[in-house]
Amino acid sequence: MINEKQITSISKFLSLVLRHQPEIIDIELDQNGWTDVETLLEKSNRYGIEIDKETLKHIVETNSKKRFAFNEAFDRIRASQGHSVEIELGYASQKPPEILFHGTGEKSVTSILDTGLEKQSRQQVHLSADLETAIKVGQRHGKPFVFIVLAEQMFNDKFEFFVSENGVWLTDNVPTKYLKQNDEE
Ligand code: HQG
């Protein structure tokens, strides 16, 4: 039986090839980020990452953030968000809630207040629907800091918002005037 540590390691590997560097195992993502499951398994194994279809299904189903999704036929897979490679996720534009959250590292606050939230190496800025998730995202960057994003106001000002299959809100950028510092810090 595969253990939790192995599952985490395979999940990180899948994030790497399905979001950032498919070329390291010589797979291709289509324009919407999908890739063929059999080829992914074969090329991963050839690369030394042992993974079979059952394990892949298990990871897709149980992944804490539901990072990956199969198509209806279960023969293609993609990451639901987080890409740095240029793809079109194809989510419909949606009206966001009044506020969303963005967790970051304290060290980035000055720069963010200067230029607003920018997508950096990813395809979009990632926003969380709840404070707890934003704190966790921020912790990935050192001491966390959470911004409140005035999402509804942005939407009314014609900014587009998308929500990924796993519930992450995406937008192109967030100018400083729509950012509020979280009072609860
Ligand atoms: C920061 C994870 C300076 C931004 C998470 C962030 C998320 C600026 C960092 C998803 C800036 C980019 C994405 C500016 C933005 N000046 N810093 N003007 N604008 N930044 O990792 O949002 O676990 O690319 O605040 O849960 O942290 O991988 O983005 O700190 O959903 O599935 O630049 O990745 O999902 O960092 O995380 P990232 P993120 P997974």
Side-chain angles (χ1 to χ4, degrees):
M1 256 304 275
I2 186 157
N3 63 38
E4 280 308 311
K5 210 173 147 198
Q6 288 166 310
I7 286 178
T8 303
S9 146
I10 294 173
S11 172
K12 286 192 171 168
F13 168 77
L14 291 172
S15 288
L16 176 69
V17 298
L18 296 178
R19 288 172 168 176
H20 308 297
Q21 290 182 279
E23 68 279 3
I24 63 171
I25 57 166
D26 185 31
I27 57 166
E28 282 182 15
L29 310 185
D30 74 11
Q31 57 185 9
N32 306 120
W34 297 102
T35 199
D36 180 69
V37 168
E38 291 305 328
T39 313
L40 169 70
L41 295 174
E42 188 196 315
K43 299 272 174 103
S44 299
N45 284 311
R46 208 181 290 173
Y47 186 75
I49 305 289
E50 275 180 51
I51 170 170
D52 58 24
K53 195 156 183 184
E54 282 314 303
T55 308
L56 187 66
K57 275 190 175 162
H58 176 75
I59 289 174
V60 172
E61 278 162 19
T62 61
N63 185 264
S64 59
K65 283 189 176 174
K66 298 268 176 222
R67 290 180 176 89
F68 316 107
F70 287 116
N71 65 348
E72 275 179 19
F74 284 92
D75 59 1
R76 297 180 80 71
I77 186 171
R78 75 172 179 181
S80 295
Q81 37 69 225
H83 299 78
S84 56
V85 293
E86 210 171 305
I87 53 134
E88 181 53 60
L89 285 165
Y91 297 125
S93 170
Q94 282 199 31
K95 184 175 181 193
E98 189 181 350
I99 59 166
L100 288 167
F101 301 90
H102 179 83
T104 187
E106 243 182 28
K107 59 181 184 294
S108 304
V109 170
T110 312
S111 165
I112 291 170
L113 287 173
D114 190 29
T115 58
L117 285 173
E118 293 170 333
K119 58 190 183 175
Q120 311 290 62
S121 64
R122 302 197 196 242
Q123 293 290 291
Q124 273 138 335
V125 170
H126 287 54
L127 304 171
S128 313
D130 63 279
L131 179 61
E132 203 189 334
T133 306
I135 292 170
K136 281 193 198 140
V137 174
Q139 280 165 345
R140 294 161 51 251
H141 301 286
K143 190 160 188 287
F145 185 93
V146 174
F147 281 104
I148 291 173
V149 174
L150 302 175
E152 191 178 30
Q153 213 168 300
M154 284 179 70
F155 181 79
N156 291 340
D157 291 343
K158 308 287 177 238
F159 284 79
E160 277 199 307
F161 284 81
F162 305 88
V163 61
S164 71
E165 192 167 336
N166 59 337
V168 177
W169 283 87
L170 308 166
T171 196
D172 281 346
N173 69 303
V174 180
T176 312
K177 68 170 180 172
Y178 301 108
L179 291 172
K180 268 180 62 178
Q181 298 186 35
N182 183 20
D183 295 331
E184 285 169 27
E185 283 295 302

